[in-house]
């Protein structure tokens, strides 16, 4: 038995086209070649698989073999398609794409006898039935030898010479097409004459998307014009870099007397090719598979194999999309899909930075910045089906936090669910749908947030600040004197809920205020020569407050009862709930510092008259002291207790007795 490094000579009967074989890693392909005619073999970019056409059972069909790195042996060939899927197909020139998930080839059927370019995809471990590649390349003549670039954005293929050329039937011309930015393929173009100097066959695109090899049937000359080989198939190198600027070069280091066809590269840039003798008009070809290291000048650009797995957070494999993106231009360099095991692989230019993006419907996306180098690189992804979201809802005007709930709707505003939210707490929301979230809070207008969770989501947590606008109520105020005349005056609007005070000047006695719905207000007035007025507006009550009217009395010789001034039982100690009313009086006296006032206290007739007089004096002085403590000058104040001597109603009921227990103030003079 020959050694692993020996080259095996094979004879094939019944072959009328160029034969393409492959010997990987110096290993004889006994498991592939034995007992059959094998042709059009191509190794995958990662060197792990090989596809070819063979007649193991009498008719030619596509097969695949896998390389066992541990034993350095190619495995037994496996038929790629079910017989029923290709019963009507004649398939030639198979080639795997960059991640071995798609197979391209030429084929013809009885319904369409010319060769066109077809493809098949690997789905759940099986290859789909052949599908015509609708890229605007297939025509009414043969399209053979399809060679897609690794990024699947360029294609080389051959078409036969025009009939008038009267060339051999196996001769072809090299055509080129590329994927445009609009997503369509350009009109196939015949490569310039420098690339089409003879009969062309078996183009092969290298993994750098630029370098390619092909065989051409022509004489070969050296740099001095001396012919160094007879007219035959020789292997040529060329490169596409934007334009066809690199003229093809014959690889003279492997020139031989035999025809050399079907070049391909392993990952170490060793060139494999078929060497044989073709005799026109006969059905015989003798060939052998050779390999030879080529010089650096013919190497494709250095590429890094980036591979890994895409899983969910529990480690379950996901079939996800993978994009390789140039982070500086944001252009997509390459796209692929992880398989049912979550595995993916791409070839990326070495010593450059790229972003890798993994994404899947109803899952998140994940992006990683990688720096490629020599050899290979592993990059794994974990995607998640939902995100944690925190909604912080604020008052738009004053930016204080408020309680709210959210209602979830789809993109067409079909209701999904309602969620109660609390400030600072996380809410989990599933991905895969565009959501419209409506925020609801009592006394506030609703607001809507659109979350395009049907698009790529990279982060697993989001924090949103939402500002809701408070609803306002119109409240009309009107003030007049005892004769019904409108009074120009200044009003103080005190928001009790938020402890905020503002002032408004009313020129004609009427004003309409826009007050925040659901909050409590106090309205007080200050008009020179008139008593002050105070009223509470509770906008949180169900009954709606729309209008407030008040008549202000002249301050001359009148006494005004101070509401809500109370004392402890049988005591002159002020109750705490009296301070609010007293503070209004303090403000009034500060704003009208020209007034001197009398503070009087009164009792009911319960108890001894002398005791009631004394108690009323003490109570009047307690109020006076409070005013002094709040910066009202003692010289402006007089405190008098009248006891039970000046009732305003008969002391005949508990309710009337409570009315007689009162504190009044009266303006005595104007400074």
């Amino acid at each position: 038995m020959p050694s692993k490094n020996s080259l095996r000579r094979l004879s094939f009967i019944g072959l009328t086209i160029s034969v393409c074989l492959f010997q990987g890693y110096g290993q004889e392909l006994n498991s592939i070649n034995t007992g059959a005619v094998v042709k059009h073999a191509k190794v995958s970019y990662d060197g792990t698989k090989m596809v070819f056409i063979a007649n193991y059972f009498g008719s030619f069909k596509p097969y695949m073999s896998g390389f066992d790195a541990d034993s350095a042996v190619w495995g037994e060939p496996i038929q790629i398609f079910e017989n029923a899927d290709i019963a009507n197909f004649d398939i030639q020139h198979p080639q795997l794409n960059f991640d071995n998930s798609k197979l391209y080839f030429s084929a013809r059927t009885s319904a369409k006898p010319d060769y066109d370019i077809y493809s098949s995809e690997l789905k759940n471990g099986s290859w789909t039935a052949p599908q015509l590649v609708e890229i605007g390349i297939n025509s009414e003549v043969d399209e053979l030898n399809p060679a897609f670039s690794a990024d699947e954005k360029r294609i080389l293929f051959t078409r036969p010479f025009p009939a008038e050329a009267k060339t051999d039937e196996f001769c072809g011309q090299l055509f080129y097409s590329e994927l445009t930015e609009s997503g369509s393929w350009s009109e196939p173009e015949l490569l310039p004459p420098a690339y089409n100097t003879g009969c062309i066959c078996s183009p092969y695109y290298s993994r750098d998307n630029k370098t390619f090899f092909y065989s051409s049937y022509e004489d070969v000359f050296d740099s001095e014009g001396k012919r160094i080989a007879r007219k035959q198939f020789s292997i040529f190198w060329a490169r596409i870099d934007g334009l066809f600027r690199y003229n093809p070069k014959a690889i003279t280091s492997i020139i031989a007397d035999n025809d050399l066809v079907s070049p391909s590269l392993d990952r170490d840039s060793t060139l494999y090719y078929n060497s044989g003798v073709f005799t026109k008009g006969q059905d015989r070809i003798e060939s052998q598979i050779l390999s030879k290291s080529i010089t650096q000048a013919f190497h494709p650009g250095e590429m890094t194999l980036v591979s890994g797995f895409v899983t969910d957070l529990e480690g379950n494999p996901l079939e996800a999309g993978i994009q390789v993106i140039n982070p500086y231009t944001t252009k997509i360099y390459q796209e692929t899909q992880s398989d049912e095991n979550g595995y993916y692989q791409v070839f990326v230019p070495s010593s450059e930075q790229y972003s890798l993006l993994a994404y899947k419907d109803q899952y998140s996306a994940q992006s990683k910045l990688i720096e490629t180098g020599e050899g290979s690189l592993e990059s794994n992804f974990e995607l998640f089906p939902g995100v944690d979201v925190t909604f912080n809802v604020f008052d738009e005007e004053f930016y204080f936090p408020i309680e709210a709930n959210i209602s979830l709707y789809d993109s067409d505003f079909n209701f999904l669910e309602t969620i109660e939210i609390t400030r600072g707490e996380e809410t989990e929301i599933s991905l895969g749908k565009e959501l419209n979230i409506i925020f609801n809070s009592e006394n506030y207008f609703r607001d809507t947030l659109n979350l395009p969770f049907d698009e790529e989501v990279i982060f697993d947590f989001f924090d949103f600040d939402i500002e809701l606008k408070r609803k306002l109520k119109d409240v009309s105020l009107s003030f007049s004197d005892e004769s019904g005349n409108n009074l120009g005056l200044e009003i103080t609007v005190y928001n009790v809920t938020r402890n905020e005070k503002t002032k408004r000047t009313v020129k004609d006695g009427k004003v309409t205020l826009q007050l925040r719905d659901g909050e409590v207000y106090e309205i007080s007035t200050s008009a020179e020569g008139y008593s002050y007025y105070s009223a509470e507006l509770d906008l949180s009550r169900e009954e709606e407050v729309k209008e407030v009217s008040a008549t202000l009395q002249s301050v001359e010789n009148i006494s005004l009862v101070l509401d809500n001034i109370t004392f402890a039982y049988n005591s002159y100690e002020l109750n705490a709930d009296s301070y609010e009313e007293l503070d209004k009086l303090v403000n009034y006296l500060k704003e009208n510092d020209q007034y001197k006032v009398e503070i009087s206290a009164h009792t009911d007739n319960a108890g001894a008259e002398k005791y009631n007089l004394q108690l009323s004096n003490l109570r009047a002085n307690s109020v006076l002291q409070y005013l002094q403590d709040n910066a009202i000058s003692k010289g402006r104040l007089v405190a008098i207790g009248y006891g039970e001597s000046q009732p305003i109603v008969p002391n005949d009921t508990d309710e009337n007795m409570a009315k007689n227990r009162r504190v009044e103030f009266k303006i005595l003079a104007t400074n």
Side-chain angles (χ1 to χ4, degrees), residues 475-481 484-489 491 506 508-513 523 525 533 546-552:
V475 178
S476 297
L477 306 178
S478 61
F479 301 95
S480 61
D481 60 17
N485 301 312
N486 292 333
L487 289 176
L489 45 74
I491 61 172
V506 182
D508 59 359
K510 294 183 179 181
V511 67
T512 298
L513 302 178
I523 307 296
T525 66
Y533 168 82
K546 291 186 176 180
E547 186 175 355
V548 175
S549 299
T551 300
L552 304 186

Side-chain angles (χ1 to χ4, degrees), residues 137 153-155 157 175-179 185-188:
I137 292 175
K153 296 180 179 179
R154 303 167 182 83
I155 183 175
F157 62 95
F175 283 78
Y176 170 85
S177 180
E178 64 180 14
L179 194 64
W185 285 83
S186 63
E187 181 70 23

Side-chain angles (χ1 to χ4, degrees), residues 19 63 182-183 193 211 248 292 301 325 339 359 409 437 472 484 498 525 537 539 609 626 651:
V19 178
Y63 286 82
S182 65
T211 304
K292 185 178 181 64
I325 303 170
D339 61 20
Y359 60 94
Y409 295 80
I437 299 183
L472 301 178
R498 294 183 291 103
T525 66
L537 302 179
L539 302 185
E609 183 179 350
Y626 186 90
N651 286 297

Side-chain angles (χ1 to χ4, degrees), residues 1-202:
M1 178 177 178
S3 66
K4 290 184 178 180
N5 294 323
S6 67
L7 299 173
R8 185 178 182 188
R9 177 176 293 275
L10 300 174
S11 294
F12 301 107
I13 306 300
L15 222 59
T16 59
I17 60 175
S18 299
V19 178
C20 177
L21 304 176
F22 180 82
Q23 179 169 347
Y25 301 87
Q27 173 68 36
E28 282 191 345
L29 307 184
N30 293 337
S31 61
I32 297 174
N33 290 328
T34 302
V37 174
V38 180
K39 58 183 180 179
H40 306 322
K42 281 288 192 324
V43 71
S44 61
Y45 284 116
D46 62 1
T48 64
K49 292 177 174 59
M50 182 169 56
V51 290
F52 51 89
I53 305 297
N55 64 342
Y56 291 117
F57 301 100
S59 59
F60 285 102
K61 292 175 181 168
Y63 286 82
M64 180 182 296
S65 178
F67 185 75
D68 186 339
D70 294 332
S71 61
V73 173
W74 288 97
E76 292 295 326
I78 298 174
Q79 188 169 317
I80 294 176
F81 296 106
E82 297 290 337
N83 287 332
D85 290 337
I86 58 170
N88 194 36
F89 281 87
D90 172 18
I91 296 177
Q92 308 288 340
H93 313 120
Q95 176 205 347
L96 287 164
N97 73 335
F98 67 95
D99 65 353
N100 307 325
S101 66
K102 188 178 289 186
L103 188 70
Y104 292 105
F105 48 88
S106 294
R108 64 182 177 183
T109 67
S110 57
K112 196 174 188 301
D114 64 290
Y115 284 97
D116 288 320
I117 299 172
Y118 285 78
S119 69
S120 173
E121 295 188 47
L122 186 62
K123 297 288 187 181
N124 299 319
S126 300
W127 292 91
T128 60
Q131 295 291 323
L132 193 66
V133 176
E134 299 291 348
I135 57 177
I137 292 175
N138 291 319
S139 67
E140 296 303 316
V141 300
D142 291 336
E143 278 78 34
L144 294 165
N145 301 286
F148 281 85
S149 59
D151 62 5
E152 297 183 78
K153 296 180 179 179
R154 303 167 182 83
I155 183 175
L156 293 168
F157 62 95
T158 63
R159 284 175 176 167
F161 279 90
E164 60 269 20
K166 298 181 180 180
T167 57
D168 295 325
E169 61 179 350
F170 55 83
C171 282
Q173 293 178 294
L174 197 56
F175 283 78
Y176 170 85
S177 180
E178 64 180 14
L179 194 64
T180 65
E181 291 187 0
S182 65
S184 61
W185 285 83
S186 63
E187 181 70 23
E189 296 181 18
L190 184 67
L191 263 64
Y195 299 81
N196 274 305
T197 55
C199 172
I200 307 298
C201 75
S202 57

